[in-house]
Amino acid sequence: MEVKSYRGRKLGKVSLEMKTLQYHEFEDCVFEDCTFLNVTFKECLFLDCKFVRCTFADIKNQGTDFKGCEFEGCNLLSLNWADVFTSRSAMMPSVKSIKNCSIKYGIFSKINFGKFNFSTNDIVDSTFSDCRLSCASFKGCNLKFTE
């Protein structure tokens, strides 16, 4: 299958709903004010990308990596973070940072967070199950109904 590649692009107000994005590679791209609702990412790569004020809800990941990506001021809803947060090659965080985001109904399972900094995020109604969190920082987080 032919891979569509994008490098160093700024993408604003992209809205995908109930679609499949397949065989796309994005490197050093900035996504601003984008919405991804019930989208399936299939065999995609996001490398060193930045997501600003974007909404992700009920996404599905099939062989997609978010390596070195940053999320800032985003709404991240109903995500299975083991699919989004870890590389295909290892159960270690591949996401670089999450800052000032609203994370709701997230499922974090079997992830080694090392020294990951969750500070300044709202993490509400979410579950951390069998995760290594001993060095992770949650300073200034709202953890309402999170276990």
Side-chain angles (χ1 to χ4, degrees):
M1 201 70 179
E2 184 179 330
V3 175
K4 294 182 182 178
S5 297
Y6 304 89
R7 184 172 186 177
R9 296 198 48 195
K10 185 174 182 179
L11 302 157
K13 298 188 180 185
V14 171
S15 183
L16 293 177
E17 187 171 344
M18 298 182 72
K19 303 273 184 193
T20 297
L21 189 66
Q22 186 172 7
Y23 304 120
H24 283 68
E25 291 183 357
F26 299 90
E27 184 177 350
D28 292 318
C29 292
V30 177
F31 295 82
E32 289 185 347
D33 302 305
C34 297
T35 303
F36 304 97
L37 303 177
N38 199 11
V39 172
T40 299
F41 294 105
K42 189 171 182 181
E43 299 297 328
C44 294
L45 173 64
F46 294 88
L47 179 63
D48 298 326
C49 293
K50 187 170 186 177
F51 298 90
V52 181
R53 296 178 310 276
C54 294
T55 297
F56 288 80
D58 295 315
I59 66 166
K60 289 153 190 68
N61 180 347
Q62 297 177 0
T64 293
D65 276 340
F66 289 84
K67 290 182 180 177
C69 291
E70 302 175 48
F71 295 84
E72 186 175 316
C74 295
N75 291 309
L76 307 167
L77 312 171
S78 300
L79 303 181
N80 181 343
W81 285 88
D83 287 345
V84 177
F85 205 87
T86 57
S87 169
R88 284 179 278 182
S89 59
M91 291 302 287
M92 293 291 289
S94 61
V95 170
K96 183 176 179 182
S97 67
I98 302 173
K99 297 177 184 171
N100 300 314
C101 291
S102 177
I103 300 169
K104 292 184 181 174
Y105 317 115
I107 298 170
F108 298 85
S109 180
K110 298 179 183 176
I111 302 171
N112 179 358
F113 286 101
K115 295 182 180 181
F116 194 80
N117 187 355
F118 284 99
S119 297
T120 71
N121 293 294
D122 287 333
I123 305 173
V124 177
D125 271 330
S126 296
T127 303
F128 288 84
S129 170
D130 296 321
C131 293
R132 288 192 173 170
L133 299 167
S134 59
C135 295
S137 175
F138 291 88
K139 185 177 180 179
C141 284
N142 172 11
L143 297 170
K144 188 175 182 180
F145 304 120
T146 292
E147 42 183 75

